[in-house]
Amino acid sequence: MNAGSTPSDLAALRSRAIDAARQAYAPYSNLRVGAALRSARGEIYAGCNVENGAYPIGGCAERGAIASAVQAEGKEFRLAAIAVAAFAADGTPLPVSPCGACRQALVEFGADAQVTFLQADGSWIEVDAGALLPYRFILPGQ
Ligand code: THU
């Protein structure tokens, strides 16, 4: 089981994800994505999407946040919860759900982590990371 988040923990994480989306570099898709995660240690790390004119090398918000967490906590990093939010350039909330690559990255650090993402109507979906990626790849022997 994950460490669990109180409603106020989740609210804080969601608000940090919304803040992170404001930093997005998304001149090509105009989709501004922000992610904020809480580590098992209780720290919060954020990330935003960073696009590039060479489209495939752009990076997702979730993996940006994970990179930041690993940089700070090293191999001990475990994911407790992550919030993701996306907005149009004019600030309108747009539905978002972690992409397949990000799902694989999330379960690497916490298959039972809470994942919450913003919907267009302002509601938040909440699900375990493992439930987002059934039959996920696990390196044999791990
Ligand atoms: N994006 C994310 O940041 N996270 C996801 O889980 C899905 C997609 C970004 C990547 C790209 O900059 C933009 O959204 C459109 O695909």
Side-chain angles (χ1 to χ4, degrees):
M1 285 300 290
N2 63 51
S5 299
T6 65
S8 80
D9 284 343
L10 266 189
L13 212 53
R14 289 166 173 164
S15 141
R16 290 286 294 269
I18 291 166
D19 288 347
R22 295 196 184 98
Q23 302 299 110
Y25 178 74
Y28 306 106
S29 72
N30 287 313
L31 182 67
R32 309 172 70 81
V33 187
L37 69 79
R38 183 167 53 81
S39 68
R41 212 185 263 183
E43 301 296 330
I44 293 180
Y45 304 96
C48 61
N49 56 332
V50 181
E51 298 184 347
N52 193 282
Y55 293 175
I57 73 162
C60 290
E62 296 91 324
R63 279 177 285 157
I66 288 171
S68 181
V70 172
Q71 203 284 320
E73 297 191 5
K75 63 178 168 38
E76 307 305 323
F77 165 63
R78 299 300 300 161
L79 178 67
I82 184 166
V84 189
F87 301 88
D90 69 0
T92 307
L94 292 173
V96 68
S97 175
C99 76
C102 286
R103 292 175 190 211
Q104 187 74 41
L106 295 177
V107 297
E108 177 81 15
F109 295 99
D112 55 2
Q114 283 175 293
V115 185
T116 181
F117 38 96
L118 183 60
Q119 300 302 285
D121 64 1
S123 67
W124 292 79
I125 288 176
E126 207 182 311
V127 63
D128 277 3
L132 283 176
L133 196 59
Y135 300 103
R136 64 184 176 274
F137 174 71
I138 298 173
L139 186 66
Q142 295 299 295

